[in-house]
């Protein structure tokens, strides 16, 4: 059996399934992280105050912070976060760092927002892909050991 056949045979089964499951999880986490890194470029940071919450009750209630901040130009902006949690991550009156683009202050982000979600996706995806690599390596090694 040549190397290409061994690799193909070793990949079939659990390693392939783990790659197919793990890569999308890792990709989502990496994509969300990349989006935030791009947003941070050229963004301005100011303090904002949590003034309330937007309640989302589909399958149990989660709470998205509503933050008011003043831009460096003196404009008051209310930002409705797209990230939610239960219990709420912040308290009303809490001061949080807000990132915004000067050309569109309404498109803002609480610094570090969604970090745990990104790390969970990347961690789970990375661990599953790593497990797939381990199974692949074991299968490949076993293909050489069972040959002779």
């Amino acid at each position: 059996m040549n190397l290409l056949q061994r690799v193909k045979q070793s990949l079939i089964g659990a390693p392939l399934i783990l790659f197919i499951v793990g890569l999308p999880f890792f990709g989502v986490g990496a994509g969300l992280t990349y989006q935030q890194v791009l947003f941070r470029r050229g963004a301005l940071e100011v303090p904002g105050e949590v003034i309330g919450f937007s309640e989302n009750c589909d399958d149990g209630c989660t709470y998205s912070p509503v933050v008011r901040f003043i831009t460096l130009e003196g404009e008051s902006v209310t930002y409705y976060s797209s990230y939610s949690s239960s219990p709420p991550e912040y308290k009303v009156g809490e001061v949080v760092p807000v990132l915004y683009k000067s050309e569109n202050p309404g498109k803002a982000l609480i610094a570090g927002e969604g970090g745990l979600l990104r790390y969970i996706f990347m961690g789970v995806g990375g661990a599953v892909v790593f497990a797939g690599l381990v199974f692949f390596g074991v299968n490949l090694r076993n293909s050489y050991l069972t040959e002779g």
Side-chain angles (χ1 to χ4, degrees), residues 5 14 18 34 40 45 47 67 71 74 81 83 88 95 98 108 113 128 131:
Q5 289 170 325
L18 291 172
Y34 182 69
R40 285 178 159 281
E45 185 173 328
V67 178
T71 66
S81 174
Y83 290 96
V95 176
V98 176
E113 190 172 46
V128 172

Side-chain angles (χ1 to χ4, degrees), residues 86-108:
S86 180
E89 190 171 344
Y90 307 101
K91 293 178 173 54
V92 172
E94 185 174 345
V95 176
V96 295
V98 176
L99 301 167
Y100 74 95
K101 299 284 189 167
S102 59
E103 63 272 6
N104 186 4
K107 185 174 170 71

Side-chain angles (χ1 to χ4, degrees), residues 5-113:
Q5 289 170 325
R6 286 180 197 279
V7 168
K8 184 179 173 184
Q9 187 66 34
S10 298
L11 192 57
I12 294 173
L16 185 60
I17 291 169
L18 291 172
F19 289 147
I20 289 171
V21 170
L23 284 174
F25 273 89
F26 187 82
V28 167
L32 291 171
T33 300
Y34 182 69
Q35 269 186 323
Q36 191 164 86
V37 166
L38 286 181
F39 185 83
R40 285 178 159 281
R41 284 191 186 153
L44 303 170
E45 185 173 328
V46 295
E49 181 183 354
V50 177
I51 59 170
F53 298 98
S54 173
E55 189 176 72
N56 310 305
C57 292
D58 291 333
D59 244 357
C61 291
T62 60
Y63 306 91
S64 302
V66 178
V67 178
R68 180 168 296 131
F69 64 95
I70 307 294
T71 66
L72 296 177
E73 295 79 26
E75 178 185 355
S76 178
V77 178
T78 302
Y79 163 64
Y80 297 85
S81 174
S82 59
Y83 290 96
S84 61
S85 63
S86 180
E89 190 171 344
Y90 307 101
K91 293 178 173 54
V92 172
E94 185 174 345
V95 176
V96 295
V98 176
L99 301 167
Y100 74 95
K101 299 284 189 167
S102 59
E103 63 272 6
N104 186 4
K107 185 174 170 71
L109 185 66
I110 297 172
E113 190 172 46

